[in-house]
Amino acid sequence: MALDATFYAFVGLILFLALIVYLKVPGMVAGALDARADKISNELAEAKRLREEAQGLVAEYQRKRKDAEAEAASIVAAAQREAEMLSAEAKQKTEEYVARRTALSEQKIKQAESDAINAVRAAAVDLAISAAEKILVAKADAGAQEALFRKALGDVKSRLN
């Protein structure tokens, strides 16, 4: 066997491997890999726990959202009922106002008719008195006028007493 460079390379490799085993490098590598595996396992467990917690929070927020939507729907329904009630009340008040104004207008019209009838009657009475006066003046002489005056004066005195 010849001691060439391959032999020395082989001896160097054996010494290197012996040194690695002596320094317990494979144990350190295995320990580092085990520590890394434990760390990854812990991180996965933490991630799983966080995921479950996040899913719980999502479920809780969805429930709260549904509750808020239901509450909003009830508020909208209550507002609609109140708006309908206010609308009906306003309609009723408007109808009452129109009825009162109509009655007042009819009353004013009746009063105006009554005033017009009274004015026509008063004008007719004045016209009749004026016509009777003209007829009496034309047909009666001074003595008859004085007798009528005395008779009318006596009628007034008897009515006043």
Side-chain angles (χ1 to χ4, degrees):
M1 178 162 65
L3 297 176
D4 60 350
T6 308
F7 175 74
Y8 289 115
F10 178 70
V11 170
L13 178 65
I14 297 286
L15 287 174
F16 177 71
L17 291 176
L19 181 65
I20 287 179
V21 171
Y22 176 75
L23 294 177
K24 300 180 184 178
V25 172
M28 287 193 293
V29 170
L33 289 176
D34 287 344
R36 177 92 170 139
D38 288 342
K39 183 179 175 184
I40 290 172
S41 176
N42 289 339
E43 287 177 357
L44 286 174
E46 179 71 14
K48 185 177 181 181
R49 186 188 62 77
L50 289 174
R51 181 173 184 224
E52 290 172 356
E53 185 179 323
Q55 286 175 342
L57 288 174
V58 165
E60 181 182 346
Y61 284 126
Q62 286 177 345
R63 182 184 51 79
K64 285 182 180 180
R65 189 197 77 217
K66 287 179 183 178
D67 291 346
E69 287 175 354
E71 184 179 347
S74 68
I75 290 171
V76 167
Q80 286 177 341
R81 285 191 304 270
E82 188 175 342
E84 290 171 0
M85 183 180 68
L86 290 174
S87 175
E89 184 179 330
K91 183 178 179 183
Q92 179 185 5
K93 285 183 179 181
T94 302
E95 289 173 356
E96 290 173 359
Y97 176 75
V98 169
R100 282 195 313 269
R101 294 300 289 184
T102 302
L104 184 62
S105 297
E106 289 175 356
Q107 184 181 9
K108 285 182 179 181
I109 289 171
K110 287 180 183 177
Q111 183 66 36
E113 286 177 355
S114 175
D115 290 347
I117 289 171
N118 289 338
V120 168
R121 283 184 183 162
V125 168
D126 288 344
L127 185 62
I129 290 174
S130 176
E133 183 181 347
K134 286 182 184 177
I135 291 173
L136 285 176
V137 168
K139 292 194 174 190
D141 60 352
Q145 286 180 4
E146 192 173 319
L148 283 173
F149 177 73
R150 289 183 194 269
K151 181 180 176 201
L153 189 60
D155 286 345
V156 169
K157 282 183 182 178
S158 67
R159 285 185 185 170
L160 289 177
N161 289 332

